[in-house]
Amino acid sequence: LTDLGELEVNLNPKEKTLFIFYLNHPEGVRLVDLIDYRQEILQLYKRFSNSSDRGQIEESIRILLDPTEPNINQVLSRLRTKFKK
């Protein structure tokens, strides 16, 4: 974070993906509408993921964007907690 003296916040790939995604969408995107941005989110996740297994990457994003899974809420909660600390 350049505004805070180059403070570094350690984020995992999903957290980085969502952080950058929302930076790119300052108007905000509702959670229920994230599925409409699947390709953009997938491209970001590929950039940050440690995996080269396309199937694993696709599955991670499927779970992240699945409204019946708690994954998105867990990732956002961890992200908020890290920035508050």
Side-chain angles (χ1 to χ4, degrees), residues 12-13 16 45-53 56-57:
N12 69 37
K16 282 183 190 176
Y45 187 70
K46 283 180 186 177
R47 194 166 95 195
F48 300 124
S49 176
N50 298 326
S51 176
S52 60
D53 181 344
Q56 186 270 332
I57 290 171

Side-chain angles (χ1 to χ4, degrees), residues 22-79:
Y22 278 106
L23 280 180
N24 291 337
H25 295 274
E27 73 284 0
V29 175
R30 297 178 321 153
L31 293 182
V32 296
D33 295 329
L34 284 177
I35 194 69
D36 297 336
Y37 298 87
R38 183 183 183 286
Q39 279 306 116
E40 181 181 350
I41 292 168
L42 181 61
Q43 291 304 314
L44 286 168
Y45 187 70
K46 283 180 186 177
R47 194 166 95 195
F48 300 124
S49 176
N50 298 326
S51 176
S52 60
D53 181 344
R54 183 164 175 80
Q56 186 270 332
I57 290 171
E58 293 270 349
E59 180 65 7
S60 291
I61 295 305
R62 185 197 67 73
I63 291 169
L64 181 69
L65 300 180
D66 184 340
T68 65
E69 296 280 347
N71 193 246
I72 187 81
N73 291 315
Q74 293 166 345
V75 173
L76 290 172
S77 178
R78 284 193 313 266
L79 193 53

